[in-house]
Amino acid sequence: MRLLLIIFLLPFILLSQNQSYTVSSISEDFSKNANAVVRLDQMDVTISSKKSLSVSYRRIVTILNEAGDKHVRGYVGYNDGVKVREVSARIYDAGGELIKKLKRNDFTDISAVDGGSLYTDSRALLLNYFPIEYPYTVDFEYKISSNNTGTIPYWYFLSDFLVSVEKSRYSLTYSTPDLRPKIKEKNLEGFDVKKVESGNTIKYSLDNVKLVRDEALRPSLANIMPHILVAPTNFYYEGFEGRILDWEDAGQWMNSRILKGCDVLNESAINHVRGLVSGIEDDLEKAKVIFDFVQENTRYISVQVGIGGIRPIVADEVDRVKYGDCKGLSNYTKSLLAAVGVESYYVHVEAGMDKVDFEEDFASLAQGNHVILALPYNGEYYWLDSTSQTIPFGYIADFTDDRNVLVMKPEGGELMKTIAYQEEENLQRTTGQYSIDASGNLKAKVSIKTNGIQYGNHYFLEDSNEKDIKEYYQQYWNNINNLNLVSYDFKNNEEDIEFVEEISISAEKYASHTDNKLLFVANALNNQQYVPPRYRSRHFPFEVQRGFLDEDKYSIELPEDYEIESAPSGINLDSKYGSYQLDFSVENPHKIWVSRKMLLKKGDYPKEEYKEFRSFMRSVAKHDKSKIVVHKKTDHD
């Protein structure tokens, strides 16, 4: 009897032994310098039919410090089409002892959207655990099911920096050959990812990956981290069956299924916007009027593509409630444009500061997190983002610029590149003058004009309050101690995408005052202090995603009874990464002119060139700190 009991319990004993939660069982190579160690990251996806997809997920992660808390990832989203079947978590201390056990009722059920009743079905279950001490371990699990099979979860084997991974597992099972999805493997080189295919199941695994450190100017995570993309070819999604083999198919299906019927507007709305453009013949001018109308009469609610599905709210509903997510507002704007005879196209894009392209050879509805519009006009395209109430017509800044996007044309989908702002277009001109008095105090009047991407870094000031404006300039001119913002005035030319700032500032003791001498940095008004960090051994290539051009010219007024003792020589630097010129000219004993020009080029570079690039940037910072010495005149002078 005892032998039978041991045999019966043996699998559970072995499972307990193999699944250790003790921190001491983690290799020092994995825990050293890490914020977290993923003990197990596992997802099992099953496609039972066109209308049945299930996902089982388990993540065991040891959190080593406060910075690692975000790596718990204890949440699961759901909506009308995605049901959470099971969710649970267990918390363990450093010694592997169970601290807390959480069931579904212990999770916080939150809306995934704030402030919009149109999206009440987008929700998430959130694990709220506030650690008493570190380290601790979380064993988090959930199971979900959906009748939508149009999007299948991607898998990142390593998804963040300073996180070691002991075991990463992903499996995909499909019931019949026609349900076999497409898979694209990305950035697996250098990683021992194992793939096993047996029958209708595909399994991936990766073991024992030490942490990777983040590096300045590295490419986006999508371009460097090992992961796989998964997409169905035959599927059911939001009430429609589909078959997508390429991007043309994707656009045709979106237009004929998802977007069809979403452009309905009531007669009152149609008549109103037609009245707004009455007498205007040019389609571009009509589009500007409609774009302004949407900005002034709606507000944006953040619901990413995928979280709230890919089907937009019907235009008539958005018109009624006066708000929407990116899908709803873009579709609404598109519908209003159509009502006044202007054609535009619905566009899926992966938005963000990092440029992420849609994969040219891998059509997938899961790609993209944002929606904008493409407006064809005279052989070119204007890109419209309806989610901002302040952005100028046709300006997309660094949020959706220069990347492959899916444009839903009537004849089908097409990958197109959004506008790329060139270095010379990303222009900032700084002009003005500043004076230094005998006590070393500074007074300045400055004009800053920005265009292109640099416009996007400044124009928000127009709608900022005084407190935020003061804080902005204190940070902008952090090379000037004791800075006081005396006055400011802004002019926003949305037609030419130019923002002008007229600023007066003062600062006590800007110049050091010793022995009848004043010592100060000449370039006070646009001082480039950033130098990329040094790495003994760089791991990733680097890229300058957006270049720019700065042109500065201003004068320095010296005290009447002081004269120049020493001034820096001019410098001219030229490299493959850009150029830099700094010149000083003396107009009279009390007036010096500073002329500066810096061009930083966009480009992708191998890691071996990082040292050279850093040297160029360090030289710029060094010369921007060039100092002038003036001394007080004496009877002997």
Side-chain angles (χ1 to χ4, degrees), residues 3 33 96 245 253 324 453 585 612 627:
L3 180 60
N33 300 318
L245 298 178
W253 184 80
I453 292 296
S585 59
E612 183 182 351
K627 294 180 179 179

Side-chain angles (χ1 to χ4, degrees), residues 424-494:
E424 291 78 7
E425 295 176 292
N426 301 328
L427 175 63
Q428 174 175 296
R429 286 191 176 96
T430 302
T431 58
Q433 63 86 25
Y434 75 85
S435 63
I436 300 291
D437 66 20
S439 298
N441 301 325
L442 174 147
K443 288 185 179 180
K445 290 186 177 180
V446 190
S447 176
I448 302 174
K449 296 180 181 180
T450 47
N451 305 90
I453 292 296
Q454 299 219 62
Y455 169 93
N457 299 330
H458 292 253
Y459 85 98
F460 67 89
L461 289 167
E462 183 181 37
D463 297 310
S464 299
N465 59 47
E466 185 173 355
K467 177 177 177 292
D468 290 341
I469 291 171
K470 286 183 177 180
E471 289 179 355
Y472 169 83
Y473 284 116
Q474 285 171 350
Q475 179 59 39
Y476 182 78
W477 280 308
N478 60 9
N479 57 300
I480 302 177
N481 292 328
N482 309 313
L483 184 134
N484 176 47
L485 181 61
V486 178
S487 65
Y488 56 87
D489 183 61
F490 305 133
K491 293 181 177 64
N492 188 3
N493 184 342
E494 295 188 4

Side-chain angles (χ1 to χ4, degrees), residues 336-436:
L336 293 175
L337 289 170
V340 299
V342 178
E343 184 177 35
S344 62
Y345 308 135
Y346 195 81
V347 179
H348 277 184
V349 54
E350 184 69 25
M353 286 283 291
D354 283 344
K355 299 176 186 177
V356 178
D357 288 314
F358 276 37
E359 302 286 336
E360 293 187 3
D361 59 350
F362 193 81
S364 164
L365 296 176
Q367 292 185 58
N369 62 4
H370 191 55
V371 174
I372 58 176
L373 294 182
L375 181 77
Y377 181 79
N378 285 351
E380 62 178 310
Y381 283 86
Y382 287 80
W383 305 93
L384 310 182
D385 192 330
S386 302
T387 62
S388 171
Q389 293 176 302
T390 59
I391 198 168
F393 176 89
Y395 180 69
I396 57 175
D398 53 11
F399 192 55
T400 54
D401 66 317
D402 193 21
R403 65 200 75 190
N404 279 342
V405 300
L406 174 60
V407 180
M408 322 290 181
K409 293 186 174 181
E411 62 272 20
E414 180 181 340
L415 287 192
M416 298 180 63
K417 202 85 165 180
T418 55
I419 184 172
Y421 299 95
Q422 303 304 316
E423 288 92 349
E424 291 78 7
E425 295 176 292
N426 301 328
L427 175 63
Q428 174 175 296
R429 286 191 176 96
T430 302
T431 58
Q433 63 86 25
Y434 75 85
S435 63
I436 300 291

